[in-house]
Amino acid sequence: MAAAMNGMVLHGGLIPYSGTFMVFTDYCRPAIRLSALMEQRVIYVMTHDSIGLGEDGPTHQPVEHLASLRAMPNLNVFRPADAVETVECWQLALETKKTPSILALTRQGLTLNRTEHTDENLCARGAYELTPAKGEAKVTLIASGSEVSIALEAKARLDGEGIEARVVSAPCLDLFDQQSVEYKKQILGEGTIRIAIEAASGYGWERYIGLDGAFIGMQSFGASAPIADLYQHFNITADAAVAAAKERL
């Protein structure tokens, strides 16, 4: 499937896209690498992007896949947090003529985080402030995909305890890495405690959270259980984010 898309795009006249489980990027990797190497606009829609797929278990639950794909040159890895971000990431994938894209999508339904229209495609810079602090921020919560809702819940709890927090959605770290130093500092929140939340390996996140930050995510392979039980078992929760922030203040 993936190799066929490379042939289709090289023939011309089409923008090919295909879909399968995120964990099967392992099988697609040689073709994905060639898409990137040949600078071809090929779109890989990879669903079931985390332990959130539930009972299929660890053989089908991606853990290291996001980190390994982000390490590939000339590949944009998008992990949108809701329907609005998904549309924005799809637009970016279509408009990026010399770079293939991965759209990492969930199995589970997600809440709509953005309900106000913006003319700007906010995902275009890779990461942006989704919810600002009401006052001077003490904590910056950075998340992608389905874990953005966990970050928003953690912010609400911290705010309730008088700890000002802000939420950054990071749908594409590849694009974020291309931004100016000034923009990166603004988004990452200099002087704040940084907590990253992603239901995947934390490899690479140290570049954004620093030595004093914390990563809430996977430290092992997954397990077979309902989604709610898995997130509790692996401690990918708002409670864990709040505790990590308070420990560092």
Side-chain angles (χ1 to χ4, degrees), residues 106-120:
T106 65
R107 176 195 182 190
Q108 69 271 30
L110 301 180
T111 57
L112 189 65
N113 301 317
R114 285 171 49 191
T115 56
E116 295 183 7
H117 172 74
T118 59
D119 290 331
E120 180 185 1

Side-chain angles (χ1 to χ4, degrees), residues 22 44-47 49 66 70 76-93 101-111 113-114 121 123 126 128 130 143-149 169-173 198:
M22 180 70 171
Y44 299 88
V45 181
M46 301 298 187
T47 66
D49 69 346
L66 282 171
R70 286 168 179 158
N76 287 336
V77 181
F78 295 101
R79 190 166 186 254
D82 64 5
V84 174
E85 282 197 0
T86 301
V87 171
E88 290 187 343
C89 291
W90 179 252
Q91 178 187 10
L92 294 168
S101 298
I102 303 280
L103 264 72
L105 306 179
T106 65
R107 176 195 182 190
Q108 69 271 30
L110 301 180
T111 57
N113 301 317
R114 285 171 49 191
N121 184 325
C123 292
Y128 65 95
L130 176 63
S144 78
S146 47
E147 286 69 66
V148 170
S149 61
S169 179
C172 186
L173 294 177
E198 190 171 68

